[in-house]
Amino acid sequence: QVQLGESGGGLVQPGGSLRLSCAASGSISSIPSMAWYRQASGKQSEFVAVISVGGVTNYADSVKGRFTISRDNAKNTMYLQMNSLKSEDTAVYYCKAVAKSGNTYLEVWGQGTLVTVSS
């Protein structure tokens, strides 16, 4: 089994910054891909950013230049540095990982962490 745990959400003023973390634990051989998604109240879930084990990244247009995704492979942990936050960034942020456990690839989701951008 593989589990993901997010942390770092909270209340921040517009223009402020937050850093989210997502730590993977369990029987893990490797984690080829880790990603962040978010879901605002009353809206569908949307992709935010993804990072491969080799550090290749991709971002949604709405966060390019403001958010930075990174990972520490030794710690099986991913981060999302969010700068210049806007009210429209308010959402529950979820991390997702494609992890190899034994000979099986698993898609695992975290429980989510709430980010509220408000003055």
Side-chain angles (χ1 to χ4, degrees), residues 8-115:
L11 174 64
V12 62
Q13 291 187 342
S17 298
L18 278 176
R19 190 174 87 146
L20 306 182
S21 299
C22 172
S25 61
S27 179
I28 300 171
S29 300
S30 64
I31 308 178
S33 173
M34 300 185 82
W36 290 99
Y37 287 76
R38 66 186 182 186
Q39 186 168 24
S41 180
K43 296 187 177 181
Q44 290 186 335
S45 175
E46 65 172 343
F47 165 78
V48 176
V50 63
I51 185 167
S52 72
V53 66
V56 178
T57 61
N58 192 28
Y59 297 89
D61 288 342
S62 59
V63 306
K64 277 182 183 176
R66 300 188 298 122
F67 291 10
T68 301
I69 189 172
S70 61
R71 63 188 284 176
D72 184 332
N73 292 330
K75 296 180 179 179
N76 287 333
T77 300
M78 170 180 65
Y79 307 96
L80 186 68
Q81 177 66 43
M82 305 185 293
N83 298 329
S84 303
L85 283 161
K86 307 174 182 179
S87 58
E88 50 263 45
D89 294 317
T90 295
V92 177
Y93 284 71
Y94 298 90
C95 64
K96 185 186 85 170
V98 174
K100 186 178 181 183
S101 180
N103 293 320
T104 303
Y105 285 91
L106 305 171
E107 181 179 283
V108 186
W109 290 84
Q111 80 284 357
T113 185
L114 177 62
V115 172

